[in-house]
Amino acid sequence: MRVPQKLSIGDEIRVIAPSRSAKLVKVRQTKTILEKLGFKISFGQHIFECDLQQSASIEHRVADIHEAFRDPQVKAILTALGGYNCNEILPYLDYQMIAENPKILCGFSDITALATAITKKCGFITYSGPHFSSFRMEQGQEYQLSYFQKCLMGNAPFPLTASKVWSDDTWYIDQAKRHFEEASWKVYSEGEASGQLYGGNLCTLNLLQGTPYMPDLANCILFLEDDELVNPAIFARDLTSLLQSTTQIKGMAIGRFQRASDMTEEQLHFILDKHPRLQTIPVFYDVDVGHTQPILTFPIGGNIYMNTKERIMQITKF
């Protein structure tokens, strides 16, 4: 798996909206924050279009993606926001052109579809991590920015550690009094494993089953999360579908659930207990990925080592 060129201070980052419109984001303030970090920010031509489903046309979203990959001045691509319809654009992308111009693509949630498809079809690592809109958040940003920089700007393998606090407040609208709670990673089953890393938003990843955009998950390590629209029964169904679609995985890390999901520790253990394989491989949960904040950045198609007994995870290829 190829690794895109790393991001450097002074590089141009292009913002695209392959799912929901950037009209929903406070663009000016977020652009200023990233410029203060030393980056040049540019925008796709169509990112502010907003139709009945708060998105742009397939044609225009594809055009912005193609332009971002073709432009030699653009060194990294950030998505504005997630949404519901990113998988619509997958059949219309020029994967040969994208493969010939590998570069950083980073986002999460619905962007799981686009990032995973590009990794599968083009043979280079993409990234599950902050959207452009995620940098609007001030409180909790230090942890998030640290892993964004380690993964997208560094070259040395690095350990993942748990954030000390977490928040369920909307990440792209920074409240004056953001509510934080104590955070820690938890262990469902002990063990250690190394392998290729895939994952992101569970319900979005499942949309790729049976398509040319779904990677082979055999012997991989999965990072999975879901948002406030999921509940324990839906998560159980979606997880079962994914596990039934592949041969044995080597490990799993499950992102922290939002309060609105009504997922409890008892419910999660009840769901995981249904799958005997998960009791024989390392499984973390309440990991800092997904729709609570702050979040890690991890490489889709990269490599990871995990040891749940020692509570260690280390990104080794990214």
Side-chain angles (χ1 to χ4, degrees):
M1 189 66 64
R2 292 181 294 161
V3 178
Q5 181 178 338
K6 294 299 183 179
L7 190 61
S8 298
I9 295 298
D11 282 348
E12 179 178 342
I13 297 174
R14 176 67 52 83
V15 180
I16 61 171
S19 191
R20 277 190 166 181
S21 170
K23 189 175 182 179
L24 305 173
V25 179
K26 293 184 177 180
V27 168
R28 184 178 300 175
Q29 296 94 322
T30 310
K31 178 176 181 287
T32 299
I33 291 168
L34 283 166
E35 286 173 339
K36 288 180 179 179
L37 292 172
F39 302 112
K40 179 182 177 182
I41 307 301
S42 60
F43 299 96
Q45 181 180 351
H46 306 287
I47 67 169
F48 298 109
E49 293 179 11
C50 197
D51 60 18
L52 289 176
Q53 294 189 338
Q54 298 182 316
S55 186
S57 69
I58 291 174
E59 178 183 9
H60 285 171
R61 283 180 281 155
V62 168
D64 281 354
I65 293 169
H66 285 169
E67 176 57 27
F69 276 100
R70 284 195 188 102
D71 190 336
Q73 299 304 312
V74 173
K75 304 304 181 184
I77 303 166
L78 286 181
T79 53
L81 203 61
Y84 299 92
N85 61 348
C86 197
N87 65 323
E88 291 177 343
I89 64 179
L90 301 184
Y92 308 102
L93 294 175
D94 184 344
Y95 293 102
Q96 181 175 343
M97 181 277 293
I98 294 172
E100 292 170 355
N101 297 277
K103 59 186 67 176
I104 289 167
L105 170 70
C106 185
F108 71 101
S109 191
D110 196 44
I111 308 305
T112 299
L114 175 62
T116 303
I118 288 177
T119 292
K120 166 65 187 303
K121 299 282 284 183
C122 302
F124 64 83
I125 290 171
T126 55
Y127 301 89
S128 180
H131 295 305
F132 170 75
S133 58
S134 301
F135 291 93
R136 174 72 181 88
M137 183 181 74
E138 295 178 6
Q139 296 172 289
Q141 189 62 250
E142 183 178 352
Y143 177 90
Q144 183 165 269
L145 179 60
S146 170
Y147 283 102
F148 179 84
Q149 292 170 325
K150 287 176 182 178
C151 200
L152 303 187
M153 302 180 73
N155 291 295
F158 60 92
L160 303 178
T161 58
S163 173
K164 295 180 180 179
V165 295
W166 71 281
S167 171
D168 197 15
D169 298 327
T170 306
W171 69 88
Y172 55 90
I173 304 173
D174 197 56
Q175 292 83 7
K177 295 183 178 180
R178 181 175 288 273
H179 176 66
F180 285 99
E181 302 177 52
E182 186 176 335
S184 64
W185 296 350
K186 299 180 177 64
V187 174
Y188 171 73
S189 54
E190 291 187 348
E192 64 176 327
S194 297
Q196 194 169 28
L197 177 56
Y198 281 103
N201 184 255
L202 173 58
C203 66
T204 304
L205 186 61
N206 274 347
L207 297 176
L208 303 184
Q209 290 191 45
T211 74
Y213 317 112
M214 186 68 170
D216 181 3
L217 301 180
N219 297 312
C220 79
I221 292 174
L222 288 173
F223 268 41
L224 301 173
E225 59 86 17
D226 228 317
D227 62 19
E228 62 181 358
L229 298 180
V230 78
N231 59 43
I234 293 174
F235 180 79
R237 179 178 64 182
D238 288 350
L239 179 63
T240 297
S241 177
L242 186 64
L243 293 177
Q244 288 177 350
S245 73
T246 185
T247 54
Q248 295 184 357
I249 62 171
K250 298 173 71 175
M252 182 183 295
I254 301 170
R256 188 178 294 107
F257 289 88
Q258 293 184 270
R259 294 297 187 200
S261 71
D262 292 327
M263 181 68 81
T264 63
E265 194 166 54
E266 180 183 22
Q267 281 276 7
L268 182 59
H269 278 248
F270 177 75
I271 293 166
L272 300 180
D273 286 346
K274 295 181 179 183
H275 303 282
R277 173 62 178 165
L278 299 184
Q279 298 164 41
T280 65
I281 61 174
V283 177
F284 278 116
Y285 63 98
D286 279 3
V287 175
D288 300 285
V289 294
H291 286 74
T292 64
Q293 299 297 314
I295 61 171
L296 296 163
T297 300
F298 68 85
I300 297 173
N303 290 85
I304 189 171
Y305 166 76
M306 65 188 304
N307 184 326
T308 51
K309 184 176 182 180
E310 302 296 331
R311 284 176 168 67
I312 293 171
M313 286 196 282
Q314 184 172 32
I315 301 295
T316 57
K317 182 177 181 180
F318 55 101

